[in-house]
Amino acid sequence: GATKAITMQRGLRVRGVLLDLSGTLHVEDTPTPRAVEAMARLKSSGIPFRFITNTTKEPKCELLARLGRIGFTVGEEEVFTSLTAARRVVEREKLRPLLLLEDSAKRDFEGVSTDEPNSVVVGLAPTHFNYATMNQAFGLLMAGARLIAIHKSKYFKTLDGLSLGPGPFVTALEYASGKTATVVGKPERAFYECVLREMGLGLDMDADGNNCNVTSSSVGECVMIGDDVSLDVHGSQSLGMKGILVKTGKYREGDESTISPPPAAVCNNLAEAVDLILGLSAS
């Protein structure tokens, strides 16, 4: 159907745009319709943007290389991943994690000590999610280790259909150990605040000119575009941003009616969402 703008008012000053990657910008190695051209137009508009992703299968360097191969020009500083967010938590709290991650993704934790682990960090690790490693993680948790989930996504879209995300594995460890995971990726408030802070957006300044709190007025002028109605749209809207749901990737008919408030807009794809944003800020 046509773009359905529900609460996107004309003349809205769009101060920043956050964009999901997998399922929104591309599905595996295929860009979504007109996405390459739409991103070029968003870039030339001068509106600040960041790609944000819960992808934990690969480190940022591989992610950037893959985006380049399929036609997108993306700078390292334009991508904020949940692996980045997890590393910040590990460093800040001086944790030594058992990393339940694919070996390539562990590169984003280079230099972090993993000797005698006092924490378990769980991302998407298809080759390591087996009884032995899950049991090792369970043993550490029962001995007092912290449980950190890079995110708790139930499933994600591949060319073959839907595949289990890390969420079910995190939930299994929570259930067995009685512990509650600290979640660091989307849709956590701290994740979105961290991205907005890095963009220099939506933040109050204290007397010394340092960013402190995310302000509601400017956050209301930031837009999140994604295919996941709960993580992308509901997550960003609960912080006060405008969420645009796109009908690509993991979108299923009727997703927009599963959250309250509903998405600010529903678009067929990312290119339509960019058209809407550039139309709004121009009017």
Side-chain angles (χ1 to χ4, degrees):
T3 298
K4 184 166 54 171
I6 305 162
T7 54
M8 303 282 280
Q9 59 275 43
R10 282 211 160 275
L12 171 75
R13 180 178 169 217
V14 179
R15 290 187 44 168
V17 179
L18 303 183
L19 307 110
D20 176 50
L21 283 172
S22 178
T24 302
L25 188 72
H26 63 92
V27 174
E28 295 199 0
D29 287 338
T30 309
T32 55
R34 294 194 298 120
V36 174
E37 168 265 334
M39 283 315 305
R41 285 193 303 120
L42 182 61
K43 213 170 242 190
S44 64
S45 76
I47 298 173
F49 68 89
R50 285 288 185 283
F51 292 108
I52 63 173
T53 178
N54 272 347
T55 297
T56 62
K57 297 195 296 284
E58 57 195 351
K60 192 190 270 193
C61 58
E62 282 183 20
L63 188 62
L64 292 170
R66 186 149 67 97
L67 292 172
R69 279 199 306 277
I70 62 176
F72 296 99
T73 311
V74 180
E76 189 179 353
E77 72 293 341
E78 291 172 343
V79 177
F80 189 88
T81 78
S82 51
L83 287 170
T84 311
R87 179 172 182 140
R88 301 239 164 110
V89 172
V90 164
E91 289 176 332
R92 190 170 66 237
E93 303 188 15
K94 299 183 169 55
L95 300 175
R96 300 183 307 278
L98 168 71
L99 296 169
L100 275 186
L101 296 170
E102 287 300 89
D103 293 342
S104 62
K106 290 177 183 173
R107 282 158 59 183
D108 280 0
F109 284 84
E110 267 171 15
V112 171
S113 170
T114 55
D115 301 333
E116 297 178 35
N118 60 2
S119 55
V120 176
V121 172
V122 186
L124 186 66
T127 56
H128 298 297
F129 282 149
N130 55 51
Y131 189 84
T133 53
M134 290 291 283
N135 205 39
Q136 183 190 1
F138 167 68
L140 288 169
L141 296 173
M142 293 306 279
R146 285 271 309 278
L147 178 58
I148 294 172
I150 294 186
H151 61 92
K152 283 182 84 172
S153 189
K154 294 174 187 171
Y155 51 80
F156 63 100
K157 177 84 165 84
T158 66
L159 292 179
D160 300 328
L162 298 176
S163 295
L164 282 176
F169 299 91
V170 174
T171 304
L173 290 170
E174 288 180 318
Y175 175 68
S177 67
K179 296 207 162 182
T180 302
T182 301
V183 186
V184 297
K186 291 185 293 180
E188 298 306 304
R189 183 184 187 91
F191 180 85
Y192 284 108
E193 287 185 343
C194 201
V195 181
L196 293 176
R197 197 171 284 115
E198 291 215 342
M199 293 170 77
L201 287 177
L203 297 155
D204 279 330
M205 297 288 183
D206 63 18
D208 300 322
N210 297 314
N211 289 336
C212 45
N213 298 315
V214 173
T215 64
S216 54
S217 58
S218 46
V219 168
E221 296 169 335
C222 293
V223 178
M224 170 75 210
I225 306 172
D227 65 317
D228 188 314
V229 73
S230 63
L231 295 189
D232 298 328
V233 180
H234 187 62
S236 59
Q237 292 196 153
S238 62
L239 191 65
M241 296 168 62
K242 302 275 188 286
I244 300 181
L245 180 65
V246 291
K247 296 184 171 187
T248 52
K250 66 165 65 168
Y251 172 82
R252 288 287 173 274
E253 199 60 50
D255 276 356
E256 58 271 35
S257 58
T258 61
I259 60 166
S260 179
V266 181
C267 296
N268 284 323
N269 51 47
L270 173 125
E272 266 190 22
V274 169
D275 291 342
L276 179 63
I277 289 167
L278 295 182
L280 287 172
S281 31
S283 56

